[in-house]
């Protein structure tokens, strides 16, 4: 397992990016909603670019959607499904996450 960070290191309603695992090419990001976190591979299904336009900037201004910086595609936070933009119906790659003792844990090979 790979520890990403403590849940409380992500503001409630905010997001945080993480670099690729050793030997990997694609990073991950997590969105926190209360005591839950949703983790995705940081790659837009439309053209394969990273979603963030600046460090840890993955969400719409109101925090209700994940937004791709390249073409503005919008994704649901809970399910990663694209609801607007050039890849409607596609989805982000979900990464299973466990929270143990307040720490976000993902598979060591997540994002490879």
């Amino acid at each position: 397992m790979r520890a990403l960070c403590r849940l409380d290191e992500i503001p409630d309603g905010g997001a945080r990016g993480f670099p690729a695992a050793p030997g990997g090419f694609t990073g991950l990001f997590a969105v926190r909603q209360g005591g839950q976190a949703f983790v995705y591979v940081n790659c837009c299904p439309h053209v394969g670019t990273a979603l963030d336009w600046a460090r840890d900037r993955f969400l719409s201004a109101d925090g209700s959607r994940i937004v791709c910086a390249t073409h503005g595609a919008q994704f649901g936070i809970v399910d990663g499904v694209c609801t607007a933009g050039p890849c409607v119906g596609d989805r982000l790659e979900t990464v299973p996450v466990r929270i143990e003792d307040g720490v976000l844990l993902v598979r060591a090979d997540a994002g490879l």
Side-chain angles (χ1 to χ4, degrees):
M1 296 301 284
R2 174 182 170 202
L4 295 179
C5 69
R6 294 189 52 76
L7 181 64
D8 61 12
E9 292 177 310
I10 303 171
D12 193 4
R16 182 172 173 183
F18 304 95
F25 297 102
T26 308
L28 306 175
F29 70 99
V31 180
R32 177 179 173 195
Q33 290 190 330
Q36 292 184 293
F38 303 93
V39 179
Y40 297 98
V41 173
N42 187 7
C43 183
C44 181
H46 177 227
V47 292
T49 59
L51 293 155
D52 47 335
W53 56 272
R55 184 178 177 192
D56 299 333
R57 302 289 185 163
F58 295 92
L59 303 177
S60 59
D62 66 0
S64 67
R65 299 169 309 285
I66 298 165
V67 178
C68 175
T70 303
H71 292 109
Q74 299 177 24
F75 303 88
I77 291 173
V78 174
D79 60 10
V81 173
C82 183
T83 57
C87 53
V88 170
D90 285 344
R91 67 177 53 234
L92 300 173
E93 184 179 340
T94 303
V95 176
V97 61
R98 271 192 349 234
I99 301 173
E100 289 184 13
D101 297 322
V103 176
L104 299 177
L105 299 171
V106 297
R107 295 183 329 267
D109 63 351
L112 291 183

